[in-house]
Amino acid sequence: HEGFKLQDREALQGIKEEIFQEEKGNREGSFFLAAMVSMLLGDYKKAREYVTRTIEIMPTAPQAKSLAGWIDLLCGSDSKAKKSLALFEEAAEQNPKDVDAQLGRSAYYAQHRDVDRAIDLMNEVLIKNQWFTPAVTEKAHLLFAIADWDQAIETAKRALALDPNSIDALTLTVVHLLAHDSNFPAACSRIGELSEVLRENEPNNAPLYASSAAIS
């Protein structure tokens, strides 16, 4: 559940109910998980309440600061999104190895249309975490956004080498075959692979099926 687009909402809802049962224990770990699950379910108000309680208990925890930054960035409020960068930078300062903070900084700049800066930050993440497929696929997305087709497809292929079942990377290769190469037979073959991976890994994720169908 690290990728927001790859959510099994039924599983998340079940986790949410279990976590909320532990809420009375006032445990920072429960609040942190509750904040993360609430964010993934789109309940940003509740997520902010839980992450605030986490930070009150653990004021120096970089993971909580990163999560607070993601909540602000994704909640749909421009004013709160502008505050997210400071949270990501504070988390990165407290723990330079906090990948969530680095990804958050990149996402902030991408959202504000400074894609070159976003790519630079993603490269910094990958220098130390070459194995981290979500960062590789996100870099591929950014390269597609600026129509750097050659680097984009090479990066997507790198993601597939790390994880042959990466739905994001498979989808990007379909986009490249259709939009850049106009190679419809190869695209159809790749769509077949994507459909099989979706059936095996995300059988109940209707929104992901819909978005994949729209792209393909």
Side-chain angles (χ1 to χ4, degrees):
H1 298 297
E2 292 177 49
F4 300 124
K5 290 174 285 189
L6 307 182
Q7 300 173 19
D8 184 335
R9 296 186 68 84
E10 291 180 8
L12 285 171
Q13 189 62 45
I15 294 170
K16 180 178 179 181
E17 291 171 1
E18 291 179 12
I19 292 171
F20 290 175
Q21 293 300 317
E22 300 182 12
E23 187 178 337
K24 293 180 181 179
N26 204 43
R27 288 177 285 215
E28 66 274 10
S30 295
F31 289 139
F32 180 84
L33 289 173
M36 182 177 292
V37 171
S38 295
M39 178 186 70
L40 290 171
L41 289 170
D43 189 349
Y44 298 107
K45 181 178 179 181
K46 200 68 178 176
R48 190 171 290 106
E49 290 177 8
Y50 282 115
V51 80
T52 298
R53 294 170 78 174
T54 305
I55 293 172
E56 288 172 352
I57 299 170
M58 300 187 302
T60 60
Q63 298 94 334
K65 297 286 178 60
S66 292
L67 181 56
W70 278 108
I71 292 166
D72 281 350
L73 184 66
L74 298 171
C75 71
S77 166
D78 289 340
S79 61
K80 286 185 170 60
K82 290 177 181 177
K83 298 176 182 178
S84 66
L85 182 61
L87 289 163
F88 292 134
E89 290 182 340
E90 186 176 349
E93 184 176 344
Q94 290 176 342
N95 180 11
K97 295 182 180 180
D98 187 345
V99 175
D100 272 344
Q102 300 295 350
L103 293 176
R105 292 171 68 204
S106 178
Y108 172 88
Y109 285 108
Q111 189 178 100
H112 289 78
R113 294 181 172 79
D114 189 349
V115 179
D116 289 338
R117 176 62 173 148
I119 292 173
D120 287 342
L121 287 166
M122 200 60 63
N123 285 333
E124 290 180 16
V125 172
L126 290 171
I127 287 171
K128 299 177 181 178
N129 305 277
Q130 298 181 19
W131 50 269
F132 191 50
T133 308
V136 180
T137 55
E138 186 56 35
K139 179 181 176 181
H141 276 287
L142 292 168
L143 290 166
F144 271 105
I146 59 172
D148 188 340
W149 293 101
D150 291 340
Q151 284 200 65
I153 192 59
E154 286 305 314
T155 305
K157 289 178 180 178
R158 177 182 169 189
L160 285 173
L162 290 167
D163 178 10
N165 293 327
S166 171
I167 294 170
D168 258 354
L170 284 168
T171 302
L172 288 172
T173 60
V174 171
V175 172
H176 184 268
L177 288 166
L178 290 172
H180 184 264
D181 293 351
S182 298
N183 189 336
F184 300 108
C188 286
S189 176
R190 186 65 88 178
I191 289 169
E193 293 179 41
L194 175 60
S195 298
E196 186 62 30
V197 171
L198 285 168
R199 279 194 296 271
E200 290 182 2
N201 297 281
E202 297 287 342
N204 300 316
N205 195 334
L208 183 57
Y209 273 84
S211 63
S212 297
I215 293 171
S216 302

